[in-house]
Amino acid sequence: MPDSDTPMLVYVTVQDAAEAAAIGRALVTERLAACANILGPARSFYRWQGEVCDESEHILMAKTTRSGVDALTARVVALHSASLPCVVALPITGGHGPFLDWIAAETAKGDG
């Protein structure tokens, strides 16, 4: 599998389920992600502007390829309600081969 087709898992935290659904649907519709999953609510602790925050958030996990991470990240940032959204990409180093190939096929730019 070429390096640009390396499957990636992109982890995003969002304010609520509605925001997660809107972003997830946009990513899949625009072929920036093969699929997106929403988990939550999750309790998050973080430091922001000198304060320790304790918030309820939802987690959006999107599957894409290494070559698609930058465009996916830019789209999440454009749609996200936070001024500094959590968007991190992790390489998928193993798994069911046909599923990993499907990620590359579904995020390929084409007529699909």
Side-chain angles (χ1 to χ4, degrees), residues 91-112:
I92 299 172
T93 60
H96 183 54
F99 178 79
L100 302 180
D101 292 341
W102 172 80
I103 292 171
E106 289 302 313
T107 55
K109 302 303 179 219
D111 295 333

Side-chain angles (χ1 to χ4, degrees), residues 78-95:
L79 295 171
H80 206 286
S81 63
S83 60
L84 184 66
C86 168
V87 184
V88 296
L90 306 164
I92 299 172
T93 60

Side-chain angles (χ1 to χ4, degrees), residues 26-45:
L27 296 178
V28 172
T29 299
E30 296 168 22
R31 299 185 76 93
L32 297 170
C35 64
N37 307 105
I38 299 169
L39 306 173
R43 189 171 178 187
S44 298
F45 296 93

Side-chain angles (χ1 to χ4, degrees), residues 8-61:
M8 303 289 286
L9 177 66
V10 181
Y11 174 91
V12 180
T13 57
V14 296
Q15 180 177 348
D16 55 32
E19 183 174 36
I23 293 172
R25 181 175 297 280
L27 296 178
V28 172
T29 299
E30 296 168 22
R31 299 185 76 93
L32 297 170
C35 64
N37 307 105
I38 299 169
L39 306 173
R43 189 171 178 187
S44 298
F45 296 93
Y46 56 93
R47 185 176 299 278
W48 180 248
Q49 299 179 338
E51 302 283 329
V52 174
C53 300
D54 179 354
E55 302 286 337
S56 176
E57 297 181 303
H58 278 68
I59 298 164
L60 176 67
M61 294 190 309

